[in-house]
Every structure is written in structure tokens, then in C-alpha cells.
Amino acid sequence: MEKSPAQDPSQSGKSNEQHAASNVPRSGERPSQGTAPVADHEDPGGKPDADKRIMEAPDTLGAKHKYPVLAQPPEDFTGLTLTKPSKVAAGLQAVIKSMEFSWGEAGLGRGTHALLKLNQTDGFDCSSCAWPDPDTHRSVAEFCENGAKSTASDADHRTIGPDFFAQHSVADLSRFTDRDLNNAGRITHPLVLRPGATHYAPIAWEEAFKLIGEKLNGLKSPNEAAFYTSGKVPNEPAYAYQLFVREFGTNNLPDCSNMCHESSGSALTNTVGLGKGSVTLNDLYEAEVILIMGQNPGTNHPRMLTALQKAKRNGAQIISINPLMEAGLNHFRNPQDFLNPLRALGALLGDGTQITDLWLQVRVNGDQAVLRGIMKYLLEAEERNPGQVIDHDFIREYGAHYEEFLTELHNTSWEDIEQMSGVPRAQLLEAANIIGPKKKIITCWAMGLTQQKNAVYSIGEIVNLHLMKGAIGIAGAGLCPVRGHSNVQGDRSMGIWERPSKVFLDALENEFDFQPPRAHGLDSVETAKAMHDGRVKVFVSMGGNFLSAMSDTEFIAEAMRRQELTVFVAPKLNRGHLVTGETSLLLPCLVRAEIDTQRNGKQFVTCENSMGVVEASHGVLQPLEGQMLSETAIVCGMAIATLGEQTTTDWVAMMENYDVIRDHIARTIKGFEDFNQKVRRPGGFYLPNGPRERKFTTDNGRANFTVTAFKKHQLLPDQLVLFSIRSHDQFNTIIYDYNDRYRGVFGERRVIFLHPEDMQARGIQPRQLVNITSHFEGQQRHAERFVAIPYDLPRGNCAAYYPEMNVLVPVASVADVSNTPTSKFVVITVVPLPETLPEGETKAHPLQAAAVSSR
């Protein structure tokens, strides 16, 4: 096994990345990033006026019998084979799987061409995650397995046109698995589902736009419409979209960020002044300690493993804080090493690089307690070694509320910390001993934190830790929320936000000569409630799958069925397109990998990654035959048909030349000055980032320590906490296959992972079927026939795949402050059924009488 300098001092100095001078740009030295600071779009006040109604629980069991179109995936089993969980991520198998998906869906020539241009400076940006590309040299294969899967899915050469939809009713299609819906192929023609119809049918683009315009203009108020955005939408169509929506007259712009990193923005804006991370990719290479919290990089951000490997080779120590020991947190076998003769044999036969030095198996929602425990030990170390552990100079110059924070920390008992976290004090001390003498500290986190009940408070504690250490705004240190969707951060920068700032609205008013709406709009949770009770009557979705991505699946389905019009812009079919309003439009778009040619010639779009780099994305594949339009063209078409003579915006010019959009962006959004010039540089440009420069754009201009009392959540003796996870063959709601090879699960998704002792206490055997009931404010929601699998996770916690488990998440169960659905904190009970699912079979078998009586 390869060792880092942390384990083997003789390895020190063997890697170029160990020399800070070779890492350009460095943290705090970014002459090309513009004038910092620039404030964020986030509202530092949080969402105190959000709709907090509990809402009536849907009939989760009866719905599948009442409605011909299924909102939940079919319950039929697809076969289950179990193996031991993997201890190594990537390797040769990842290469094989990448090629298998790419060539199988996109074809040999189309698939190979796409992969060779993926994440290249003259190619297109991967749609599978927002992990940044290297600033300088890029490998010929600058992609990961999931990037290859996502690109293969986007570049799918199979098509579904009017004939396909004539053969399959929406009810029939709803009985397809989510994998089979995605794998049916690319949608080629605009389609309409008219009132009372059972099948989508062709419609001309002009008629589709006219239908949208007439329905929107017929509403009593613009606020009776909601406009959802997927984080895959690039900057140019996103900016045009929010402009169209605001010229129409509403700020109802819910987006997928409301469901994922809203908690990060809520915590960071109040503490450091910017709802984004403060590090660059080069900072990770230089870090001394990296904390990875609530994240599974091996599946959700596999290219991150390359950065972690470089950090380890440079001597970094990594602390993983997660309920599961994921393969990517354990060891990484880098496929790029197959190209290096000195490392090829080790990459083929060995375990690769050990990623985690210390694993803290935290209970769900216990991260706040883990961080409190570590910080209490740091204070004790400071008392023994004055001036050696806590950065008092940083706190004096930049900090605020430190004394209040210390009081709260001193008042937090060790009993509460151990009870909430589930982590022994000895391990917390070990973590503190790793962190204590170090300055270059980075903390990375993802939805394992942001979708907890205490999400905002936990992220606030991350900031507290960094402020104590002065570990922000210097090379090798800072905050790193790791975004999922490839442009979810960019969409927020473009103004996809239901609570826009006055500065941004004033800029729009000045640029486009209209009065933007000033009242707050609806986020995703509020939109679902408003759709359900009739306040929203038209739902427009730019990409995504709101039905399956949101919590409370059957509640969302009821809300969707009450719409007068639903509009879905998408390249491929998903379940969300089948549960519709009275009239529904399905509008096919080009994908990012395809060449987008408008009247002014070939166009490109831009995306912003997790570390604030904006880069051009050039399509390289010839579009498939059909009537697909670009996302930008579809947005402009809707705007022209809806706004008519009331707009003075030149929508045609924006549609024909995306440089026109970028010029508008440059004049209305700080940090994007000279957008068209800067984005044409290979590798793009960095946006201004105040915290990276130790310039904090908070209300008081300082870095604020957070003072939050512990919020403990008590369970009844038979209750468990369920949290959602994604399988390895999945990107968000897109299911590529039924396998999760790193966790040893093949051929089946309808499973629940349970601690063996929790299974034994309930008389549940491996592979036995169980019914699950969630409990919230006296309400119950039910999910039937999941297969129980024993797994190493904290006692009292269990896990299931998303979106199958979303039916159990109440729409009103949200994180404090951010209003994010608590998909990582669902209180449930589990009841065994007298059936098991045998190896590799799809039909459940009755348990033998002896086995049943053992309960």
C-alpha cells in the first residue's frame, strides 16, 4: 500500500505538489479574480417567514391503487445479490465500467469522442458534479466513472419520438423502472398531454410556446406560477430564465439548491459573508489536515479522490466523519496511475492510497456534537500550550462573538456530546490531536450534513473550528462545501433565487427597463405546499425531476395533479414527466455535449464549479435528428410568447448570440465584468471571493462565531433514524443501473440497510422483507416491502436509497433556518414481513415457520 509522508517521512518532498510555488494560483494571490469582496445573493436573515404549515399527510399506500399513473417507482423486485462491501474505490473496474456505459449508450465513436473532450479547456463541462478541473495541466482522461456514465446518458444515440409515445400511455410508462425510463432514449419532438388524454402527442414548437403564454397571461397573478430550475442548467439559459420570470412578475424561482446546499449558504452568509466555499483545488494539495463530513466522494464526486490522493502524497492527514465507511473514504486506486509505469503495478494489484487516517462513525445529526467535542479538546490544549493552538491574532483582527461562543462551548457537557455524536471521547481527542498543531485545515462537506435537522448549526460549528484556528484565507486552508449538480452554484450566481437582493434587482431594473417584483418568492418546499393548496396553478421545470427529488413523493404528486399546466424541459424521460397537471408539455432540449448552432453561429455556454471558477463549455457532438432546441432558445421562446409587447428586452438577439446574454450578465452581476473576454481564456476565471482574501462581507464586516444551543431529538425505544443515500450507479434521481458495487449490493434498489443488532432486536433476518413507517408530528407515512440488509452503521440509524425512500420524508420536516428537507433525518419504525428475497431471484419467498416464530 502506498504511504504518504504522514506515515513515511522518507516520502517527503517527492511530489511537485508539495512545493507551494508550483501551485498557481495560490489562496490569497489571485490577481485575475476581480475586486474582492463581493456580497452573495444569499439572504443573511435566513427564512423566518417561510411557510411552516405541517400539511396533511398523503395516503402513501392507497395512492398506488387510486391513481393509474404511479408516482413512486414500481415495487417489483429486480433481483438481489450481496457481496462484501468494497474497501477500495475506482481502479481498473472503474475504467471498465466507464467504457461499458459510454460505448453501450452513446456508441463507440460518439462515446469515445465525448469522453476525450470531457472537462477539457476546448471541450465541454461534465454534467455529473461540480468538482473543479485543474487550473493548469489536464489529463487526456479528465473524467471519472460517474462522469462517463452521465456523459453516456446525455449522449445516448437511442431516441424516442412520437411513435414511442403513441405506443405507451403515461400510465404504462409509470410502470417502467426509473432506469428503464432513462434508458429509453432521447426525446426528439415537443409533446403535449391534453386534458383527459392518456398519451403524449406531438405539438409544434410555436403552438407549445403560445399555449404557455396564454396560460401564464390568463392567471390572476404572476405568483400563481412557479418556475423550477435544475442545477445542470448552464449560466446563459439560467440568466435568461430568471429574467423572463421576473419580467413576467414573480420571484417564484425554486431550485434544487433549496433541497441540497441551502443549509450551507444559510450558515456561511452569516458567518463569513459568502454562501460559497473559500478554497481552490490547489489549496487541497497544500492542506495539512482535511476533514470530510457527510460525504461519499467515491460515488458522488470521484474526481475529488485524485485531489485527496495528491494531498496524502504531500503529507496531509484526513479525518472522515460519516455514519458509513464508504469505499472512497477508505482507499483509492487511481485509474490515472495505469498510465505511469512506476505506479501501474500498484494500481493494478495493491489497495492504492489510504485516504482516511481517522474515521469517526457519527450518528446521524450528531456532527454538531462531534465538532463541539473536538473544539473543547482544542481549548484544553491551548490552556496547556498558550498561543500554540488557538489563533488569537486572527480572532482579534477579524472575529466577532468569540466570548459568547466560548461560554456556550464550556457549557456543553461531555455527556451530551457523546450521547448525540455516538463517538467515544478518546476518538474526539485523537481528532483534536491531529488538528491542534496544524494551521492549513480544510473541511469538505455535502448533503450528509446539509439535509439534517441541525444542518445549519453543524455547518456553523465547522466555521467556528476554522475561525478558532485562523484556518481561512490562507494557502491550504478554508471551507469547502462540495456541490452536486454541475452548475447549481452558477445558477444561484445568475439570480436563480426566490429571495433576490435589492442590489441585484436594481441592476436588472437599470439594465432592462422594467420593475422587478420585490416580494420574496417561494422556495421548493413552499412551492410544493402552494401547488397543493391551489395558490400555484402553473409549474414550469427547466430540467430536473421535482417529483422524485423533493420530499414526500405522494404529496408532491397530489400537488402536481392539481396544476392547470405543467411544462417540462428535458432531454430524456423521467418519472416527473408522467405525473402531470391537466395539460402538460414535454419540451426536448439539446445536451451540453452537443453542438449548439444558432443564427449567429456555433454557441458555447458557461458553468461555475464548487470553487468559483467560471469556464466555457463547448459542445462537440452533432445533435441527433429531431426537433430539439437549446435550453436558451426554449427560454427565449417562452419569454417572447408570454411577454409580447410588454418587454423591451431583445430576446431574439439573446437567442441568436449568447455573447449578448454574457454582456448583460457583465453589467448586472458583480464579478462578471468583461465576462466575454475573461471566459475565453483557457480554464476560465475565478470569481471574487471575500473570505478567500479575509474580507468578510457580513453585516458587521467580521467573521462571526456562531452561538447555538444544542438541540437534542428524542426517539421512542422502537424508533430508528433513516437517512437517504445514493447508489454507485446513480446521479441524483437518474438511475443508470440497479447496482451499488462499493456497498456490495447488486440487482436491487428496494433495500434498507440496518445495524445487525437493530435487526436482531426486531426479529429481522437478512434479506427479509419489511414495511417502514415514518413518524412526524403525529402523522404517519408508509412504504412497503423493502429488503433488509445488515450493514456497519451506527446503532439506531438506517439507510435507504433515494428517491425510493422519499415517500417517507414529510414535506414539512425541514432543517432549521434553511428550510431544506430533512432527507437525512427521518424517524421511522420497521416491521418484518414473513417473506425473504433469495439470492438473485426477483420473487419473494415465504419464511419457514421456525424463522417466523423466532421473532
Side-chain angles (χ1 to χ4, degrees), residues 239-406:
Y239 184 85
Y241 189 54
Q242 65 81 27
L243 177 63
F244 157 51
V245 171
R246 292 190 165 106
E247 286 200 27
F248 175 61
T250 184
N251 283 315
N252 287 349
L253 281 160
D255 74 320
C256 63
S257 185
N258 298 148
M259 295 179 260
C260 57
H261 272 283
E262 197 73 67
S263 297
S264 298
S266 297
L268 295 177
T269 303
N270 277 321
T271 52
V272 297
L274 190 70
K276 303 177 182 180
S278 63
V279 299
T280 70
L281 188 57
N282 293 304
D283 287 326
L284 268 88
Y285 305 156
E286 196 171 338
E288 297 171 309
V289 179
I290 301 174
L291 285 76
I292 303 174
M293 304 186 67
Q295 188 186 0
N296 176 15
T299 289
N300 299 331
H301 312 91
R303 286 195 301 147
M304 180 179 177
L305 296 178
T306 301
L308 296 178
Q309 182 188 56
K310 288 184 178 181
K312 292 289 291 186
R313 289 173 177 171
N314 293 344
Q317 291 180 280
I318 295 177
I319 302 171
S320 295
I321 305 172
N322 203 59
L324 307 177
M325 172 45 80
E326 306 285 14
L329 297 176
N330 203 327
H331 285 78
F332 171 51
R333 196 182 292 141
N334 191 344
Q336 300 288 346
D337 286 345
F338 291 115
L339 305 177
N340 185 332
L342 299 178
R343 291 174 174 161
L345 186 61
L348 182 65
L349 301 177
D351 287 339
T353 302
Q354 178 183 330
I355 297 298
T356 295
D357 296 283
L358 174 64
W359 174 39
L360 306 182
Q361 190 175 32
V362 63
R363 286 178 181 151
V364 171
N365 208 49
D367 299 86
Q368 183 185 14
V370 166
L371 292 161
R372 286 275 178 99
I374 292 173
M375 288 186 288
K376 282 177 76 73
Y377 275 127
L378 291 177
L379 286 179
E380 291 182 11
E382 173 69 14
E383 291 174 0
R384 294 191 299 270
N385 306 276
Q388 302 300 307
V389 180
I390 307 302
D391 190 338
H392 296 288
D393 290 339
F394 174 88
I395 295 170
R396 278 191 295 268
E397 184 173 357
Y398 300 104
H401 308 298
Y402 181 57
E403 294 302 323
E404 300 96 312
F405 159 74
L406 287 182

Side-chain angles (χ1 to χ4, degrees), residues 336-564:
Q336 300 288 346
D337 286 345
F338 291 115
L339 305 177
N340 185 332
L342 299 178
R343 291 174 174 161
L345 186 61
L348 182 65
L349 301 177
D351 287 339
T353 302
Q354 178 183 330
I355 297 298
T356 295
D357 296 283
L358 174 64
W359 174 39
L360 306 182
Q361 190 175 32
V362 63
R363 286 178 181 151
V364 171
N365 208 49
D367 299 86
Q368 183 185 14
V370 166
L371 292 161
R372 286 275 178 99
I374 292 173
M375 288 186 288
K376 282 177 76 73
Y377 275 127
L378 291 177
L379 286 179
E380 291 182 11
E382 173 69 14
E383 291 174 0
R384 294 191 299 270
N385 306 276
Q388 302 300 307
V389 180
I390 307 302
D391 190 338
H392 296 288
D393 290 339
F394 174 88
I395 295 170
R396 278 191 295 268
E397 184 173 357
Y398 300 104
H401 308 298
Y402 181 57
E403 294 302 323
E404 300 96 312
F405 159 74
L406 287 182
T407 299
E408 179 63 31
L409 190 58
H410 284 304
N411 290 338
T412 305
S413 71
W414 279 111
E415 180 183 5
D416 283 347
I417 287 173
E418 289 191 289
Q419 179 186 353
M420 286 186 65
S421 70
V423 178
R425 283 181 64 174
Q427 287 191 314
L428 298 177
L429 176 59
E430 189 176 354
N433 286 338
I434 292 173
I435 295 169
K438 301 297 193 298
K439 182 82 167 181
K440 296 180 178 181
I441 303 164
I442 292 176
T443 302
C444 305
W445 70 91
M447 287 189 288
L449 251 67
T450 65
Q451 293 180 332
Q452 299 177 6
K453 182 64 178 172
N454 292 347
V456 176
Y457 309 138
S458 295
I459 298 167
E461 300 290 0
I462 292 174
V463 178
N464 287 341
L465 173 62
H466 279 259
L467 299 186
M468 286 178 72
K469 298 292 297 177
I472 186 169
I474 59 172
L479 306 166
C480 184
V482 183
R483 312 280 175 169
H485 262 312
S486 57
N487 197 46
V488 65
Q489 186 161 301
D491 287 348
R492 183 57 57 86
S493 295
M494 292 298 103
I496 301 293
W497 173 228
E498 78 278 359
R499 293 165 180 254
S501 68
K502 181 179 183 300
V503 171
F504 178 64
L505 294 180
D506 288 346
L508 290 182
E509 180 177 350
N510 183 65
E511 177 76 5
F512 296 101
D513 192 26
F514 78 105
Q515 292 291 327
R518 300 284 170 163
H520 286 168
L522 304 174
D523 67 10
S524 291
V525 170
E526 293 172 300
T527 293
K529 294 178 179 180
M531 291 168 65
H532 195 274
D533 63 20
R535 288 180 292 125
V536 166
K537 297 177 171 61
V538 175
F539 179 81
V540 181
S541 179
M542 278 296 296
N545 181 351
F546 191 70
L547 171 77
S548 299
M550 258 296 288
S551 53
D552 220 343
T553 307
E554 291 296 349
F555 179 89
I556 304 301
E558 290 177 2
M560 203 69 73
R561 294 184 185 107
R562 294 174 184 179
Q563 299 303 287
E564 295 177 4

Side-chain angles (χ1 to χ4, degrees), residues 545-594:
N545 181 351
F546 191 70
L547 171 77
S548 299
M550 258 296 288
S551 53
D552 220 343
T553 307
E554 291 296 349
F555 179 89
I556 304 301
E558 290 177 2
M560 203 69 73
R561 294 184 185 107
R562 294 174 184 179
Q563 299 303 287
E564 295 177 4
L565 173 67
T566 48
V567 180
F568 305 106
V569 179
K572 302 187 84 172
L573 195 59
N574 65 50
R575 188 166 303 280
H577 304 149
L578 307 177
V579 180
T580 70
E582 184 180 7
T583 301
S584 187
L585 290 168
L586 183 50
L587 307 180
C589 63
L590 299 176
V591 296
R592 197 177 297 168
E594 290 175 321

